[in-house]
Amino acid sequence: MKEYKQKSIQRVTAVSIIGATFSVILGFYLLSKNISHILSIWGEANKMIVYLYSDGDDELRINVENRLKSNIQVEKIEFVSKEQAISDFNAQISGYLSGLQSDKALLQVIPPYFEVYLKSEGSLEQLNTRARILAGEIKEWLGVEDVSTGSLWTEKYSKLSQSVNTFFIFIGLILFGLSFFVVSSSIKSNLFQRAKEIEILEMIGATRFYIQRPIFIESLGIIALAFLLALMANSLLFYYFNSFFSAQLSLLNLNQVFQFLSVLEILTLFLISISMGMIVTRWTFSRLYRYRNT
Amino acid sequence: MIEFSHLYKSYDKKNHALKDINLKIDSGEFVFLMGPSGAGKSTFFKMITAYDSPTSGKIKVGSFDLNSMKEKDLASYRRRLGIVFQDFKLLPDRTVYENVSLPLRVQKHHETFVRKRATEVLELVGLAEKFDQFPEFLSGGEQQRTAIARAIIHQPGVLIADEPTGNLDPEMSSKIIDVFEKVCAQGTTVVIATHDHELVKRKNKKTIELRNGSVFQMSL
């Protein structure tokens, strides 16, 4: 009975330790996934400004507009006329430098322009490269004075996103290694405490399959249970943070952006955990036999 | 039949746990293995159970040549053995019934048969009323009898017992030896390690005496 209780305590301890480790890993994965997702959504606002000559005629403008519309990389365009551009400029600048509004010569320089929204397919780097190439082409068109891709901002943004992803991958690998160590230690402790039982079963003629099967099942059960607990803990945390952002930071609409793990991701992570459990248990058995033979 | 031929076992270069053992125990024989502590009795049993392998020499048990036995045949060989360990080796988290029935479970016998046989052998060793007890609630003698019941439940070809009467009173010792004799009468080869000279004299069976790892004397 005492032994039975000890075994139960061991199992609960193993589930708790492995569950806590999986919780941290799942939580980290969820965090990295959502941060990457948010970065990619914010990065989607990838637009360029095509400035036309101030004195250009309608025919040139229509020509540029048609060429932009027919470009497969362009999602949509919006034309801002000279008058509208001046009006916008005045609205933005009035609070700071009211004198400029009366400088007719300066206002005359403000050109009409197209806001060109690009299709957000591929990574931010690909998007940037395509935007740069397209901007170079458009600059050569008749009636176009200049093109601004905002590339400095997007490049910095893209680098930030890249750095964040690299950081997450790095920390993820460390956590994965750590979880391997934790799972290995828990399974090893569980198995080595059963060394006597294994020896008795061997001496009465149990095959290795007979001995190992229940221990494998138990180890995988522990890992599956730990994974489910970690998943539940993360679901609760996700629900809590979603509600928090919904209530406290509704302006950012973050609750609409946040994503939980998909079924495929859950299945993949579950299979990885189970595979890890199988490898670790097999490896621990080899160690146990090796240890006994020395 | 158990046959040792020029068998040596050493754990270091200087000392031999067993030295040039040559002996033959026929099928269905009842043998007492005697000798002081450190004489090599446990190593002798380790050789028979294939728990350890000899440094040199040959050992054969029935049709099994233990020198060349492969890992996959080990389980099949051990199923023909019944072993009573000096420290009983009972599983503490299983009941008396579960411990005793282990050899039959390992051989995947039907539950009805397992229960019937377990009841029979527990009655034979006088533990029928301890069926559902856990080992920690049993006395030393009861634990020993549980180990004996486990060793005979599957009617093994060879029964080896290391000091099986060490924790028993004379009356129970005698009963247990009677059980071993019954098992032997059914064709099982029985080898018992004991210090009990009185018992050996009384039973008048074949005796092998080990001293310093060698066979000191063998008597019929």
Side-chain angles (χ1 to χ4, degrees):
Chain A
M1 283 297 274
K2 206 163 64 187
E3 190 84 9
Y4 186 77
K5 274 183 198 162
Q6 271 176 357
K7 264 190 184 176
S8 305
I9 292 169
Q10 259 172 39
R11 285 177 192 134
V12 171
T13 310
V15 168
S16 311
I17 294 171
I18 299 173
T21 313
F22 282 173
S23 290
V24 173
I25 292 175
L26 281 187
F28 177 78
Y29 179 76
L30 207 53
L31 183 73
S32 68
K33 177 186 161 151
N34 278 295
I35 288 181
S36 298
H37 182 60
I38 290 166
L39 286 178
S40 69
I41 286 174
W42 288 345
E44 273 172 15
N46 197 6
K47 86 180 171 183
M48 65 168 75
I49 310 289
V50 176
Y51 295 102
L52 304 176
Y53 283 108
S54 295
D55 51 358
D57 56 23
D58 277 355
E59 197 182 331
L60 278 173
R61 178 183 61 79
I62 291 165
N63 185 36
V64 171
E65 187 173 352
N66 288 338
R67 289 181 77 176
L68 284 172
K69 276 181 180 169
S70 62
N71 193 297
I72 52 162
Q73 291 181 56
V74 174
E75 178 82 43
K76 65 169 183 171
I77 58 171
E78 276 172 20
F79 177 65
V80 178
S81 66
K82 189 178 175 71
E83 293 72 31
Q84 182 64 44
I86 290 170
S87 162
D88 289 349
F89 177 78
N90 279 336
Q92 285 171 15
I93 213 77
S94 61
Y96 309 102
L97 294 160
S98 53
L100 283 179
Q101 288 173 276
S102 51
D103 190 340
K104 292 252 167 38
L106 178 70
L107 293 178
Q108 227 18 66
V109 178
I110 294 174
Y113 59 88
F114 283 104
E115 282 181 352
V116 180
Y117 294 87
L118 300 176
K119 285 179 182 165
S120 52
E121 287 163 356
S123 65
L124 279 174
E125 297 82 66
Q126 289 168 332
L127 214 64
N128 265 331
T129 313
R130 284 206 302 268
R132 253 199 319 271
I133 295 167
L134 185 64
E137 286 170 15
I138 294 172
K139 255 185 199 172
E140 304 299 318
W141 295 355
L142 205 61
V144 174
E145 187 184 18
D146 198 8
V147 179
S148 161
T149 58
S151 59
L152 193 64
W153 181 82
T154 49
E155 265 172 32
K156 278 185 179 167
Y157 184 83
S158 152
K159 283 203 172 94
L160 169 75
S161 171
Q162 224 176 342
S163 307
V164 168
N165 281 335
T166 311
F167 172 75
F168 280 145
I169 289 169
F170 177 70
I171 300 290
L173 284 173
I174 290 175
L175 283 177
F176 185 76
L178 186 73
S179 76
F180 206 88
F181 175 75
V182 171
V183 171
S184 163
S185 298
S186 301
I187 300 284
K188 186 183 148 194
S189 149
N190 199 15
L191 200 64
F192 271 62
Q193 298 223 347
R194 296 175 74 162
K196 189 183 161 196
E197 179 185 340
I198 292 169
E199 190 188 327
I200 294 169
L201 287 169
E202 279 179 346
M203 294 308 285
I204 60 167
T207 57
R208 284 205 169 172
F209 177 74
Y210 183 93
I211 295 167
Q212 292 182 6
R213 189 186 51 185
I215 295 172
F216 258 101
I217 292 170
E218 188 181 312
S219 298
L220 298 188
I222 286 173
I223 285 170
L225 195 59
F227 184 86
L228 285 177
L229 286 176
L231 194 64
M232 271 170 59
N234 275 281
S235 307
L236 289 173
L237 276 175
F238 184 80
Y239 176 76
Y240 169 76
F241 280 114
N242 231 355
S243 309
F244 173 79
F245 282 120
S246 172
Q248 305 293 323
L249 295 164
S250 54
L251 270 176
L252 292 175
N253 280 335
L254 283 175
N255 57 319
Q256 288 170 24
V257 174
F258 283 153
Q259 291 177 331
F260 194 63
L261 303 170
S262 68
V263 176
L264 186 69
E265 281 171 321
I266 291 173
L267 277 176
T268 309
L269 290 169
F270 182 72
L271 285 176
I272 290 172
S273 308
I274 291 289
S275 308
M276 188 201 288
M278 286 180 81
I279 292 167
V280 164
T281 312
R282 184 75 205 83
W283 179 62
T284 313
F285 261 116
S286 309
R287 283 185 67 188
L288 179 70
Y289 290 131
R290 247 198 339 264
Y291 168 77
R292 245 186 15 202
N293 291 335
T294 51
Chain B
M1 184 190 68
I2 302 168
E3 197 175 351
F4 283 64
S5 171
H6 301 293
L7 187 131
Y8 284 84
K9 177 66 190 179
S10 48
Y11 293 102
D12 56 58
K13 283 179 182 171
K14 286 180 185 169
N15 301 309
H16 293 290
L18 290 177
K19 269 186 289 193
D20 197 23
I21 306 285
N22 293 286
L23 56 85
K24 197 171 164 187
I25 301 169
D26 289 324
S27 295
E29 233 180 333
F30 193 114
V31 178
F32 283 115
L33 183 68
M34 300 198 66
S37 294
K41 298 191 297 294
S42 295
T43 312
F44 185 91
F45 280 159
K46 279 182 183 173
M47 296 295 116
I48 298 179
T49 55
Y51 187 81
D52 214 339
S53 51
T55 307
S56 66
K58 289 193 168 182
I59 176 166
K60 216 175 156 194
V61 179
S63 58
F64 291 90
D65 181 351
L66 302 196
N67 294 78
S68 57
M69 192 158 61
K70 291 190 175 124
E71 182 73 39
K72 64 182 171 67
D73 298 321
L74 200 58
S76 156
Y77 167 66
R78 285 183 177 152
R79 285 176 188 193
R80 289 159 206 230
L81 300 180
I83 310 168
V84 182
F85 300 95
Q86 202 170 11
D87 58 349
F88 322 135
K89 291 200 191 299
L90 299 175
L91 295 177
D93 60 332
R94 318 248 176 128
T95 63
V96 165
Y97 164 65
E98 285 166 339
N99 267 290
V100 168
S101 60
L102 265 177
L104 293 181
R105 287 193 190 288
V106 160
Q107 294 176 36
K108 295 187 175 122
H109 282 284
H110 195 271
E111 182 59 32
T112 322
F113 175 72
V114 173
R115 207 167 178 85
K116 184 173 159 279
R117 270 299 291 162
T119 311
E120 278 171 17
V121 291
L122 283 173
E123 273 172 9
L124 202 63
V125 298
L127 282 179
E129 75 284 3
K130 303 285 182 182
F131 206 79
D132 290 322
Q133 291 276 21
F134 284 92
E136 69 172 301
F137 299 116
L138 302 177
S139 67
E142 286 169 337
Q143 289 188 24
Q144 195 152 32
R145 281 184 279 152
T146 308
I148 291 166
R150 186 180 62 190
I152 61 174
I153 191 171
H154 56 301
Q155 293 167 315
V158 176
L159 176 69
I160 54 174
D162 201 355
E163 296 287 347
T165 56
N167 288 296
L168 305 178
D169 57 56
E171 194 190 346
M172 189 47 77
S173 292
S174 186
K175 276 186 187 172
I176 289 300
I177 295 299
D178 287 346
V179 170
F180 285 147
E181 280 181 323
K182 274 185 199 165
V183 172
C184 184
Q186 289 166 357
T188 300
T189 309
V190 178
V191 184
I192 297 174
T194 184
H195 285 110
D196 193 342
H197 288 272
E198 282 303 312
L199 177 77
V200 175
K201 263 186 203 165
R202 205 168 58 238
K203 290 295 172 184
N204 194 29
K205 304 279 186 190
K206 182 175 179 173
T207 307
I208 299 167
E209 191 173 346
L210 294 177
R211 281 199 192 169
N212 298 321
S214 303
V215 176
F216 179 67
Q217 63 178 33
M218 210 169 352
S219 63
L220 281 174

